[in-house]
Amino acid sequence: MSSSGGNSGGGGIGISAPQPYFCHQCNRTVSITPSPTSDLVCPVCGGGFLEEVQNPNPSPEPSPNSFFSFSSDDSSFGARGFPLLFTTTSSSGHGGGALVDDLPALFGGPLTRVSQSEDTDAFNPFAFLQNYLQTLRATGANVQFVIDGNPGDPAGFRVPTNLNLGDYFFGPGLEQLIQQLAENDPNRYGTPPASKSAMEGLPSVKITEELLASDSSQCAVCKDTFELGEEAKQMPCKHIYHSECILPWLELHNSCPVCRYELPTDDPDYEQRNRGTSTPANQSQAAGGFNISVGGGSINAVGDGSGSGATSGENPQTPRMVERRFTISLPQLFRVFGSTAETSNTGSGNNNGNNEGSNSENRGNQSTGSEPRHEDLD
Amino acid sequence: MANSNLPRRIIKETQRLLSEPAPGISASPSEDNMRYFNVMILGPSQSPYEGGVFKLELFLPEEYPMAPPKVRFLTKIYHPNIDKLGRICLDILKDKWSPALQIRTVLLSIQALLSAPNPDDPLSENIAKHWKTNEAEAVETAKEWTRLYASGE
């Protein structure tokens, strides 16, 4: 406590003691003894635009230990971890999420710190992130931040008022997030998933002797030779794959692995772009939206093909959000919560440095083709 | 252990890489992690990298082959599509990945990139600029770096 604030503390009228206030005029925290008889005045600038400081002792540097005290002591986060979702949509589909509207609100402390810093040349991850998100907004993306609780818990997730999330995202976590944003994540930049109906509509063919004698006797994904009489899936371009080889790929990207022939997608933006221009399959991220979420032990952002996924671009005028999800493992930050939100209470076994185990579980559960990707960025 | 559940495709690929290596390319898995490969690519003839031995690391992520391998140069190299951390700007390692590709094709593509630098899609702005403004000089620098850093000790 900055009890050293030498503001005539000796006067001590009654019970009141010096309290920390933030002066919005001179932009600093001051110590003032509230008086019942007069208005609050900043002792430095004399202004009256003062705000009581809730968390009077923000540490000047994010202390690495705060992670562990946070994760082990604050039981309000529960064993499910603490997924933080920056979402672009109405947050439907995320059970009981609390919306926080902007980055400064989330990262409050660091922003002030950063802006006070004189070292403008140094890479400032927070400013970068803010800038990046601003750019997304400028291109029409609707970026919001959702603190997403346990999906099954309708009560949602409470943000402790004195929690400065910025502290938890400084250091490696934030850097990873930025790297992920800035880097060409293949699962973000490749073509979108094939539509469900297109996948379901792929015909099955029986492997014949004739086919085995041809040069397509091998599944290009698993590199195994087909067996006589076995069933395989055939793409419209006639390329043949085991269904357990091609379907996981089509859930990620709509293209034929061999010739890049593209199946229809459930992504109206993508469909429209492809119809409108003659250039095929120009990726680049959908301007519709953007979505980052932070789970216990990971940051993931969702790539939800579309709202319902039922109709494939039937009504291109309807603005449907395209969410993108990707994941950054933060084992060093969320060691206690290592498991992702999807894993059950027994998930504590999954936190051995990466989330690969839970990742595959996620994939199995996702039917919309929205794949949480867990990327190891080192 | 990372090796306990190695997909058959990875085992197959590894065996073939070891038994029939592509010309000018060697890739061998690390003993303690079969998803991590130590790679060497010889600088292609008639390129500024000729005579150089370039070390790379290649890692097959859990999602492989649904996601591309992660590849990085360990040897310092002067190339417009390779940055100072060794990261490679190559479409098939990013959005143009396909599960029909494999370690061998990736490494052949990297070898081809050494023969055909593409300064119009740079990863290293400065080197790309150098390449575009004075190609002869940039090529000389690339040769010099090859001598300095890729001489195979």
Side-chain angles (χ1 to χ4, degrees):
Chain A
M1 274 293 189
S2 53
S3 56
S4 57
N7 180 29
S8 66
I13 310 158
I15 330 150
S16 42
Q19 282 177 18
Y21 285 83
F22 185 77
C23 174
H24 289 272
Q25 267 159 287
C26 57
N27 226 24
R28 69 178 81 195
T29 305
V30 294
S31 182
I32 304 173
T33 307
S35 154
T37 54
S38 60
D39 287 335
L40 289 174
V41 173
C42 172
V44 179
C45 69
F49 191 5
L50 293 159
E51 187 185 354
E52 200 172 350
V53 176
Q54 297 288 339
N55 181 11
N57 195 18
S59 53
E61 291 293 318
S63 89
N65 280 336
S66 50
F67 279 108
F68 304 110
S69 56
F70 154 72
S71 34
S72 53
D73 295 338
D74 193 337
S75 57
S76 70
F77 289 93
R80 287 307 194 100
F82 137 63
L84 162 69
L85 188 69
F86 311 7
T87 186
T88 57
T89 63
S90 58
S91 87
S92 61
H94 300 291
L99 261 175
V100 182
D101 218 355
D102 60 349
L103 194 60
L106 260 181
F107 290 85
L111 179 59
T112 328
R113 274 177 228 143
V114 160
S115 59
Q116 283 167 353
S117 143
E118 297 298 318
D119 189 4
T120 49
D121 282 345
F123 176 68
N124 176 343
F126 180 72
F128 175 92
L129 185 57
Q130 194 176 33
N131 219 343
Y132 187 88
L133 294 171
Q134 256 162 17
T135 311
L136 282 174
R137 279 193 170 117
T139 58
N142 174 20
V143 182
Q144 286 176 318
F145 305 90
V146 174
I147 315 287
D148 199 10
N150 177 351
D153 174 12
F157 172 78
R158 279 179 309 110
V159 191
T161 49
N162 61 350
L163 174 68
N164 182 356
L165 285 171
D167 285 348
Y168 301 103
F169 291 95
F170 258 69
L174 187 55
E175 308 249 327
Q176 274 191 323
L177 172 57
I178 284 162
Q179 195 180 356
Q180 180 99 26
L181 286 170
E183 259 188 7
N184 288 351
D185 176 353
N187 299 303
R188 199 153 52 94
Y189 284 102
T191 60
S195 73
K196 263 188 123 174
S197 54
M199 279 195 275
E200 282 160 7
L202 286 183
S204 290
V205 294
K206 262 220 158 74
I207 302 297
T208 59
E209 300 234 23
E210 189 188 356
L211 188 123
L212 284 179
S214 75
D215 53 2
S216 46
S217 62
Q218 197 189 52
C219 172
V221 173
C222 68
K223 313 290 182 193
D224 282 342
T225 308
F226 291 114
E227 283 178 29
L228 189 62
E230 110 184 284
E231 292 230 320
K233 288 284 177 190
Q234 187 171 45
M235 292 279 285
C237 52
K238 304 296 175 203
H239 290 114
I240 294 169
Y241 306 91
H242 295 116
S243 76
E244 67 271 23
C245 292
I246 190 63
L247 294 181
W249 172 253
L250 295 175
E251 282 172 15
L252 297 171
H253 305 285
N254 68 334
S255 58
C256 172
V258 169
C259 69
R260 300 193 196 280
Y261 174 90
E262 293 191 28
L263 290 177
T265 72
D266 282 333
D267 182 336
D269 276 350
Y270 185 82
E271 293 294 317
Q272 201 169 25
R273 239 177 310 155
N274 277 1
R275 237 177 287 140
T277 62
S278 54
T279 44
N282 236 337
Q283 17 76 350
S284 99
Q285 128 198 357
F290 200 81
N291 183 339
I292 306 159
S293 77
V294 181
S298 63
I299 294 179
N300 42 38
V302 200
D304 192 346
S306 68
S308 65
T311 55
S312 57
E314 229 176 55
N315 185 358
Q317 298 313 317
T318 313
R320 284 204 290 182
M321 284 301 171
V322 178
E323 294 181 8
R324 302 278 167 176
R325 170 185 289 198
F326 50 95
T327 295
I328 300 168
S329 297
L330 300 173
Q332 73 277 41
L333 302 189
F334 294 92
R335 197 162 290 152
V336 174
F337 293 145
S339 56
T340 62
E342 279 92 341
T343 53
S344 65
N345 293 334
T346 57
S348 57
N350 277 337
N351 58 5
N352 299 327
N354 61 36
N355 289 305
E356 288 173 346
S358 50
N359 181 26
S360 45
E361 284 169 35
N362 292 346
R363 177 170 307 149
N365 294 339
Q366 302 269 341
S367 55
T368 55
S370 61
E371 293 291 328
R373 308 296 304 177
H374 294 244
E375 286 282 312
D376 268 335
L377 288 172
D378 34 1
Chain B
M1 191 65 223
N3 298 340
S4 57
N5 219 349
L6 208 61
R8 205 146 55 104
R9 163 166 165 168
I10 295 182
I11 296 169
K12 262 186 150 171
E13 279 198 60
T14 307
Q15 282 168 348
R16 179 142 178 261
L17 281 168
L18 295 173
S19 62
E20 317 163 37
I25 293 172
S26 85
S28 49
S30 149
E31 273 179 19
D32 39 287
N33 185 353
M34 294 285 286
R35 290 179 174 271
Y36 181 92
F37 289 74
N38 294 299
V39 175
M40 284 209 287
I41 296 183
L42 300 184
S45 57
Q46 313 203 334
S47 80
Y49 312 101
E50 184 171 3
V53 179
F54 296 88
K55 286 187 184 159
L56 297 88
E57 59 179 5
L58 181 146
F59 180 72
L60 304 176
E62 181 67 23
E63 297 87 350
Y64 181 84
M66 297 303 155
K70 296 174 188 296
V71 199
R72 186 171 81 91
F73 271 84
L74 297 174
T75 305
K76 217 165 131 79
I77 182 169
Y78 197 78
H79 190 291
N81 310 105
I82 301 165
D83 74 2
K84 62 178 185 225
L85 297 176
R87 295 180 299 191
I88 305 161
C89 181
L90 187 61
D91 58 0
I92 60 160
L93 292 176
K94 296 183 172 130
D95 57 296
K96 293 292 191 292
W97 170 252
S98 147
L101 296 168
Q102 46 185 320
I103 301 173
R104 171 184 303 265
T105 45
V106 163
L107 295 179
L108 285 167
S109 298
I110 293 171
Q111 196 184 40
L113 189 66
L114 295 186
S115 291
N118 178 10
D120 292 322
D121 184 21
L123 191 56
S124 195
E125 284 292 344
N126 289 338
I127 301 177
K129 209 169 149 195
H130 194 191
W131 224 273
K132 283 169 113 167
T133 53
N134 190 344
E135 184 171 340
E137 194 187 279
V139 164
E140 272 317 302
T141 309
K143 284 181 179 169
E144 177 69 16
W145 280 37
T146 303
R147 272 194 299 278
L148 283 174
Y149 307 111
S151 58
E153 277 142 309

